[in-house]
Amino acid sequence: MEKFAINSVLLVDDDEASIFLNKIFIRKLGLDAKVYTALNGREALDFLDEVSITLKGEDSFGPCLLILDINMPILDGWGFLDAYAQRFSEEMKEHIVIVMITVSEDERDLIRASNNPMIKEYLQKPLSDEHLLMIMQRYFPFDGNIYRDED
């Protein structure tokens, strides 16, 4: 099984079925990564706040894949990105790859995502195991170094 340089995945989606499927794809790839979930952008920001305070400059949370839905209650994907850009250090953001997923077919969302340098990929739901493998190969290639702290 192919190895990847990733410590964690944060799934941000109000659709629990999508979260369930994404967890299956992660297991199918055999990723040695902790999987966290948030049901909206506010929960994701709170989680990242806690991580940034707890780690105090350590990088054991990253490299991280953040899979972000657009349409969610409380705080949607766009609102999350606005707050994320202002709130977190560049050092922390360097370790997080954001992939936006959506059921939206609105071309304005695609254009907005394409113009946002924080978004590395913009994909239609449902995420597939092929898409996840492509993301891992593109952003988390394993070069033989140890990336994950032992638990």
Side-chain angles (χ1 to χ4, degrees):
M1 194 166 289
E2 197 169 351
K3 288 187 173 186
F4 299 102
I6 185 167
N7 286 350
S8 59
V9 178
L10 176 56
L11 304 172
V12 186
D13 198 325
D14 64 319
D15 180 12
E16 293 188 31
S18 291
I19 288 174
F20 179 77
L21 286 174
N22 291 336
K23 285 181 176 181
I24 289 173
F25 296 144
I26 290 165
R27 277 195 303 271
K28 187 175 177 182
L29 281 181
L31 296 184
D32 184 22
K34 294 180 181 175
V35 179
Y36 304 96
T37 61
L39 295 175
N40 58 64
R42 172 67 45 216
E43 284 185 17
L45 289 170
D46 291 345
F47 173 80
L48 291 174
D49 275 337
E50 188 175 315
V51 165
S52 67
I53 291 167
T54 303
L55 295 179
K56 296 178 188 157
E58 297 174 30
D59 64 354
S60 61
F61 177 71
C64 176
L65 172 62
L66 193 155
I67 299 175
L68 179 66
D69 187 22
I70 291 179
N71 297 312
M72 297 176 286
I74 302 174
L75 185 64
D76 68 9
W78 300 119
F80 167 86
L81 288 169
D82 291 342
Y84 174 84
Q86 300 298 316
R87 201 171 195 158
F88 299 103
S89 70
E90 291 305 314
E91 181 182 17
M92 184 172 176
K93 289 187 272 189
E94 284 175 12
H95 294 287
I96 299 175
V97 172
I98 298 176
V99 173
M100 185 165 265
I101 60 172
T102 186
V103 294
S104 171
E105 294 183 8
D106 188 337
E107 191 168 327
R108 292 173 295 184
D109 286 331
L110 174 60
I111 292 167
R112 190 172 177 186
S114 299
N115 291 326
N116 187 320
M118 291 184 294
I119 301 171
K120 301 302 181 195
E121 301 288 338
Y122 179 87
L123 302 170
Q124 290 293 314
K125 278 185 175 183
L127 187 64
S128 68
D129 51 348
E130 292 88 9
H131 282 134
L132 189 58
L133 178 60
M134 176 273 300
I135 291 164
M136 292 298 112
Q137 290 171 333
R138 185 173 292 166
Y139 299 103
F140 302 100
F142 183 74
D143 67 2
N145 292 323
I146 297 172
Y147 286 89
R148 191 163 197 276
D149 294 336
E150 293 301 318
D151 294 311

